[in-house]
Amino acid sequence: MMQGLEVKNRLQELLAIAEEKSLKDLCFDTLQTMMRCRYVDDKMQKLVRQNKGGTFHLCANGHEMIGALSALSLKPGKDWGLPYYRDRAFALGLGCTLEEVLGAFLAREVDHHSGGRMMPEHFSHKTLRIPCQSSVVGSQFLQAVGVAKAARLADTDEVVYVSAGDGATSQGDFHEALNYACIHKLSVIFVIQDNGWAISVPVEEQTAGGSIVHMARGYVGLTVHDVDGCDFEQVSKALDASVRKGREGLGPSLIVAKIPRLGAHSSSDDPKKYKTDAHFEEETKRDPLPRFEAWLIDHGILSPEEIERLRDNVKEEIETAAVTADQIPIQDPDRVLDHIYKPTPVTLHEEKEKRGEAVVIMDALNHALDEEMERDEGVIIFGQDVAHGKGGVFGITRGLTEKYGVDRCFNTPLAESTIVGTAIGLSVYGNFKPVAEVQFCDYLWTGINQLFNELASYHYRSNGEWNCPVVLRTPTGGYIQGGPYHSQNIEAFLAHCPGLKVVMPSNAADAKMLLKSAIRDPNPVVFLEHKGLYRQRVFCAQSEPTKDEILPLGKAKVVREGSDVTVICYGMMVHMCYEIAQQLEEIDVEIIDLRTLSPLDFETILTSVEKTGKALIVHEAPLTCGFGAEIAAQIAEKGFEFLDAPVKRLGSLDTCVPYCKELEDRVLPQKTDIQAAIRSLASY
């Protein structure tokens, strides 16, 4: 009698969890989603053997219940989901259609996903609020907390779901995300689908003590649920508690769901190489699908006949969906370069006669940020030491927290991956334009995964469905005795990454107008600020542009006209080259300030080289594989007939920048080096 009462009470609790749905409806939807996931998996394996579409298949067998119930706990179109590549049940449960899932598997141009640009199972659906996912393990964690931060700033009760396998918890981004979510009490539900294996690496070789739960409980404010991911009651209760906590704005939750991985990691993996027969036998016993079916029958919720009828219907709809998906065309290969950048109107607006007094670059940048924050409430600034009285190491963001509040100018942990990853999440939310600062470009490398693998290609990977309007500001360059970790020039690395715009102004007027344009651009922009020019008055200080003046990104400027030699440069080098050109009265030097390196205004370069017949490229970065090599190659390829001399390059020595001033001077280009290079080229 007591056992029957306990069962009744448990079912009443589950009824409360179901909210608008009856318990039977919730169970039916859960089972249907699980079956769709399981049997579409079977269909995909058949398609692989038939050599149709792609050859890569990720088995989700064993993961169905945690994914399905997670989706059914959220409100599609309101809440956000960032599932990982084995979370097909979540995508189906939230509303992705079988045709879309199978079409993506066949690398067809489905309406959502990626149009064949991404591997299967990397879900993306703007209507359902599933931001574009990738293959990079754990990268979605920080993006999820960025989305949750945006939802908090927008004052909503939306919750953000993010999932991953147990192997992803070894990534630093996982811990950075937990830390950030706890600091800001964000409404994130972290779900770890713990099948005990990271491909072939068992959990005991992956996690200290073999326990993700034990490891995570050290984060203050994080509620941790340790559940059997194949048990309907345990999973439902954990999700209900997590969603309720999120809706009330009380902070993040972590659900560690223990599940079996019933198939191989992928179609290229053979689990027999690392699993024993005992492993396979134990995992088969834990299979969530037959367990749930038995539970439903035991509790009188669904009959065996109803379950079998549902199974037949699901298999039939999968066959129909497969035929439909096979008829979806492959994207036209001529469109392979579409969506590297989101189209941006080329805008130029200057009112030089209305400009104010001369300002230095640091003040021009501060005023640009201030004016853009005033113009657009969605502009938010964050980074290391940017808030309150500090205003950044160089004071560029001074006064902005006091004027606009801590929600619009705030500090982040000392973690560059956090800065870039959360900026992605904030930008895809749609209401905000994050302007993030990395203290020195030398320290950007710990965020390079989020920058190169995620942010830069977001628009392209999603086939144009998503875009990330992020500005990443960072000081660069030497000449102020900073040493190896405060003097790098990284523009060549950045320019090599499709999808990023790279800007480096040389004077205050350009800096203000270009930063305004960067903030208004719908694409990610890395804005490099030469710290040696921040307070420089000679050449750099100029009359301050008005609030309305902007410059188009991707347009170079001829700062000095000449007929003998073309000098192509940017940043500090513009200042140094201009000074030398003024001294060389016998040589008529034309100087081009690139201003934007990517996209490169090669037309202006070619026009000048056609006039002078000689080209010198000067940059502060090391010469080998520097950005000048790309410019030289393009000149040789597209302007060879105009040349009267070989293209010449000048850069720093191929080493890091030393701290000692005398050593720094030997490594970096000096004015005497520039003068000698111009004279040599002019006399050729």
PDB file of all heavy atoms in Angstrom, residues 588-604:
ATOM      1  N   ASP A 588      60.676  62.430 -53.985  1.00  0.00           N
ATOM      2  CA  ASP A 588      59.248  62.753 -53.810  1.00  0.00           C
ATOM      3  C   ASP A 588      58.507  61.480 -53.387  1.00  0.00           C
ATOM      4  O   ASP A 588      58.200  60.618 -54.218  1.00  0.00           O
ATOM      5  CB  ASP A 588      58.690  63.298 -55.119  1.00  0.00           C
ATOM      6  CG  ASP A 588      57.358  64.022 -54.919  1.00  0.00           C
ATOM      7  OD1 ASP A 588      56.983  64.244 -53.749  1.00  0.00           O
ATOM      8  OD2 ASP A 588      56.700  64.345 -55.925  1.00  0.00           O
ATOM      9  N   VAL A 589      58.233  61.357 -52.096  1.00  0.00           N
ATOM     10  CA  VAL A 589      57.682  60.130 -51.517  1.00  0.00           C
ATOM     11  C   VAL A 589      56.168  60.231 -51.349  1.00  0.00           C
ATOM     12  O   VAL A 589      55.664  61.199 -50.776  1.00  0.00           O
ATOM     13  CB  VAL A 589      58.336  59.827 -50.151  1.00  0.00           C
ATOM     14  CG1 VAL A 589      57.744  58.548 -49.557  1.00  0.00           C
ATOM     15  CG2 VAL A 589      59.844  59.716 -50.283  1.00  0.00           C
ATOM     16  N   GLU A 590      55.464  59.220 -51.845  1.00  0.00           N
ATOM     17  CA  GLU A 590      54.012  59.120 -51.597  1.00  0.00           C
ATOM     18  C   GLU A 590      53.794  58.114 -50.466  1.00  0.00           C
ATOM     19  O   GLU A 590      54.350  57.010 -50.492  1.00  0.00           O
ATOM     20  CB  GLU A 590      53.279  58.666 -52.853  1.00  0.00           C
ATOM     21  CG  GLU A 590      51.770  58.528 -52.648  1.00  0.00           C
ATOM     22  CD  GLU A 590      50.986  58.818 -53.916  1.00  0.00           C
ATOM     23  OE1 GLU A 590      51.095  59.965 -54.407  1.00  0.00           O
ATOM     24  OE2 GLU A 590      50.286  57.916 -54.402  1.00  0.00           O
ATOM     25  N   ILE A 591      52.981  58.476 -49.486  1.00  0.00           N
ATOM     26  CA  ILE A 591      52.756  57.623 -48.327  1.00  0.00           C
ATOM     27  C   ILE A 591      51.287  57.233 -48.255  1.00  0.00           C
ATOM     28  O   ILE A 591      50.398  58.093 -48.290  1.00  0.00           O
ATOM     29  CB  ILE A 591      53.177  58.320 -47.020  1.00  0.00           C
ATOM     30  CG1 ILE A 591      54.674  58.622 -47.050  1.00  0.00           C
ATOM     31  CG2 ILE A 591      52.833  57.452 -45.808  1.00  0.00           C
ATOM     32  CD1 ILE A 591      55.171  59.376 -45.840  1.00  0.00           C
ATOM     33  N   ILE A 592      51.064  55.943 -48.146  1.00  0.00           N
ATOM     34  CA  ILE A 592      49.711  55.409 -48.002  1.00  0.00           C
ATOM     35  C   ILE A 592      49.550  54.859 -46.593  1.00  0.00           C
ATOM     36  O   ILE A 592      50.334  54.011 -46.154  1.00  0.00           O
ATOM     37  CB  ILE A 592      49.427  54.298 -49.027  1.00  0.00           C
ATOM     38  CG1 ILE A 592      49.493  54.848 -50.449  1.00  0.00           C
ATOM     39  CG2 ILE A 592      48.064  53.652 -48.763  1.00  0.00           C
ATOM     40  CD1 ILE A 592      49.357  53.785 -51.518  1.00  0.00           C
ATOM     41  N   ASP A 593      48.563  55.351 -45.892  1.00  0.00           N
ATOM     42  CA  ASP A 593      48.181  54.813 -44.581  1.00  0.00           C
ATOM     43  C   ASP A 593      47.039  53.829 -44.824  1.00  0.00           C
ATOM     44  O   ASP A 593      45.931  54.224 -45.203  1.00  0.00           O
ATOM     45  CB  ASP A 593      47.729  55.959 -43.667  1.00  0.00           C
ATOM     46  CG  ASP A 593      47.309  55.485 -42.282  1.00  0.00           C
ATOM     47  OD1 ASP A 593      47.324  54.260 -42.028  1.00  0.00           O
ATOM     48  OD2 ASP A 593      46.937  56.351 -41.455  1.00  0.00           O
ATOM     49  N   LEU A 594      47.289  52.555 -44.603  1.00  0.00           N
ATOM     50  CA  LEU A 594      46.266  51.545 -44.897  1.00  0.00           C
ATOM     51  C   LEU A 594      45.025  51.711 -44.029  1.00  0.00           C
ATOM     52  O   LEU A 594      43.908  51.448 -44.463  1.00  0.00           O
ATOM     53  CB  LEU A 594      46.850  50.140 -44.709  1.00  0.00           C
ATOM     54  CG  LEU A 594      47.923  49.716 -45.705  1.00  0.00           C
ATOM     55  CD1 LEU A 594      48.387  48.296 -45.401  1.00  0.00           C
ATOM     56  CD2 LEU A 594      47.415  49.810 -47.140  1.00  0.00           C
ATOM     57  N   ARG A 595      45.185  52.064 -42.781  1.00  0.00           N
ATOM     58  CA  ARG A 595      44.097  52.245 -41.804  1.00  0.00           C
ATOM     59  C   ARG A 595      43.356  50.952 -41.508  1.00  0.00           C
ATOM     60  O   ARG A 595      43.203  50.550 -40.358  1.00  0.00           O
ATOM     61  CB  ARG A 595      43.116  53.342 -42.245  1.00  0.00           C
ATOM     62  CG  ARG A 595      43.774  54.679 -42.459  1.00  0.00           C
ATOM     63  CD  ARG A 595      42.795  55.819 -42.554  1.00  0.00           C
ATOM     64  NE  ARG A 595      41.949  55.779 -43.732  1.00  0.00           N
ATOM     65  CZ  ARG A 595      41.264  56.836 -44.169  1.00  0.00           C
ATOM     66  NH1 ARG A 595      41.331  58.001 -43.534  1.00  0.00           N
ATOM     67  NH2 ARG A 595      40.514  56.737 -45.246  1.00  0.00           N
ATOM     68  N   THR A 596      42.868  50.275 -42.544  1.00  0.00           N
ATOM     69  CA  THR A 596      42.251  48.958 -42.393  1.00  0.00           C
ATOM     70  C   THR A 596      43.085  47.936 -43.159  1.00  0.00           C
ATOM     71  O   THR A 596      43.362  48.123 -44.338  1.00  0.00           O
ATOM     72  CB  THR A 596      40.812  48.958 -42.947  1.00  0.00           C
ATOM     73  OG1 THR A 596      40.034  49.929 -42.257  1.00  0.00           O
ATOM     74  CG2 THR A 596      40.167  47.592 -42.772  1.00  0.00           C
ATOM     75  N   LEU A 597      43.473  46.876 -42.470  1.00  0.00           N
ATOM     76  CA  LEU A 597      44.275  45.839 -43.120  1.00  0.00           C
ATOM     77  C   LEU A 597      43.403  44.764 -43.746  1.00  0.00           C
ATOM     78  O   LEU A 597      43.767  44.161 -44.749  1.00  0.00           O
ATOM     79  CB  LEU A 597      45.244  45.212 -42.118  1.00  0.00           C
ATOM     80  CG  LEU A 597      46.523  46.012 -41.827  1.00  0.00           C
ATOM     81  CD1 LEU A 597      46.235  47.312 -41.109  1.00  0.00           C
ATOM     82  CD2 LEU A 597      47.482  45.174 -41.008  1.00  0.00           C
ATOM     83  N   SER A 598      42.284  44.492 -43.125  1.00  0.00           N
ATOM     84  CA  SER A 598      41.355  43.508 -43.676  1.00  0.00           C
ATOM     85  C   SER A 598      39.935  44.029 -43.470  1.00  0.00           C
ATOM     86  O   SER A 598      39.523  44.242 -42.327  1.00  0.00           O
ATOM     87  CB  SER A 598      41.535  42.165 -42.964  1.00  0.00           C
ATOM     88  OG  SER A 598      40.731  41.171 -43.554  1.00  0.00           O
ATOM     89  N   PRO A 599      39.207  44.272 -44.570  1.00  0.00           N
ATOM     90  CA  PRO A 599      39.614  44.094 -45.971  1.00  0.00           C
ATOM     91  C   PRO A 599      40.623  45.148 -46.414  1.00  0.00           C
ATOM     92  O   PRO A 599      40.571  46.295 -45.979  1.00  0.00           O
ATOM     93  CB  PRO A 599      38.294  44.230 -46.732  1.00  0.00           C
ATOM     94  CG  PRO A 599      37.431  45.072 -45.843  1.00  0.00           C
ATOM     95  CD  PRO A 599      37.799  44.726 -44.442  1.00  0.00           C
ATOM     96  N   LEU A 600      41.520  44.733 -47.288  1.00  0.00           N
ATOM     97  CA  LEU A 600      42.617  45.579 -47.753  1.00  0.00           C
ATOM     98  C   LEU A 600      42.178  46.390 -48.966  1.00  0.00           C
ATOM     99  O   LEU A 600      41.597  45.857 -49.911  1.00  0.00           O
ATOM    100  CB  LEU A 600      43.816  44.697 -48.120  1.00  0.00           C
ATOM    101  CG  LEU A 600      45.031  45.403 -48.734  1.00  0.00           C
ATOM    102  CD1 LEU A 600      45.687  46.308 -47.717  1.00  0.00           C
ATOM    103  CD2 LEU A 600      46.028  44.364 -49.268  1.00  0.00           C
ATOM    104  N   ASP A 601      42.484  47.686 -48.925  1.00  0.00           N
ATOM    105  CA  ASP A 601      42.203  48.572 -50.060  1.00  0.00           C
ATOM    106  C   ASP A 601      43.377  48.496 -51.033  1.00  0.00           C
ATOM    107  O   ASP A 601      44.239  49.376 -51.055  1.00  0.00           O
ATOM    108  CB  ASP A 601      41.983  49.995 -49.546  1.00  0.00           C
ATOM    109  CG  ASP A 601      41.716  50.985 -50.678  1.00  0.00           C
ATOM    110  OD1 ASP A 601      41.537  50.548 -51.840  1.00  0.00           O
ATOM    111  OD2 ASP A 601      41.699  52.204 -50.395  1.00  0.00           O
ATOM    112  N   PHE A 602      43.398  47.455 -51.827  1.00  0.00           N
ATOM    113  CA  PHE A 602      44.526  47.292 -52.744  1.00  0.00           C
ATOM    114  C   PHE A 602      44.425  48.248 -53.933  1.00  0.00           C
ATOM    115  O   PHE A 602      45.437  48.584 -54.558  1.00  0.00           O
ATOM    116  CB  PHE A 602      44.610  45.849 -53.240  1.00  0.00           C
ATOM    117  CG  PHE A 602      45.844  45.582 -54.052  1.00  0.00           C
ATOM    118  CD1 PHE A 602      47.089  45.511 -53.441  1.00  0.00           C
ATOM    119  CD2 PHE A 602      45.772  45.426 -55.431  1.00  0.00           C
ATOM    120  CE1 PHE A 602      48.237  45.285 -54.191  1.00  0.00           C
ATOM    121  CE2 PHE A 602      46.912  45.205 -56.182  1.00  0.00           C
ATOM    122  CZ  PHE A 602      48.152  45.135 -55.563  1.00  0.00           C
ATOM    123  N   GLU A 603      43.242  48.705 -54.227  1.00  0.00           N
ATOM    124  CA  GLU A 603      43.066  49.617 -55.366  1.00  0.00           C
ATOM    125  C   GLU A 603      43.884  50.891 -55.175  1.00  0.00           C
ATOM    126  O   GLU A 603      44.537  51.376 -56.110  1.00  0.00           O
ATOM    127  CB  GLU A 603      41.581  49.961 -55.531  1.00  0.00           C
ATOM    128  CG  GLU A 603      41.296  50.855 -56.726  1.00  0.00           C
ATOM    129  CD  GLU A 603      39.807  51.151 -56.879  1.00  0.00           C
ATOM    130  OE1 GLU A 603      38.992  50.467 -56.235  1.00  0.00           O
ATOM    131  OE2 GLU A 603      39.462  52.072 -57.637  1.00  0.00           O
ATOM    132  N   THR A 604      43.853  51.436 -53.958  1.00  0.00           N
ATOM    133  CA  THR A 604      44.635  52.645 -53.685  1.00  0.00           C
ATOM    134  C   THR A 604      46.126  52.361 -53.815  1.00  0.00           C
ATOM    135  O   THR A 604      46.890  53.182 -54.335  1.00  0.00           O
ATOM    136  CB  THR A 604      44.305  53.169 -52.273  1.00  0.00           C
ATOM    137  OG1 THR A 604      42.937  53.566 -52.233  1.00  0.00           O
ATOM    138  CG2 THR A 604      45.180  54.355 -51.896  1.00  0.00           C
TER     139      THR A 604
END
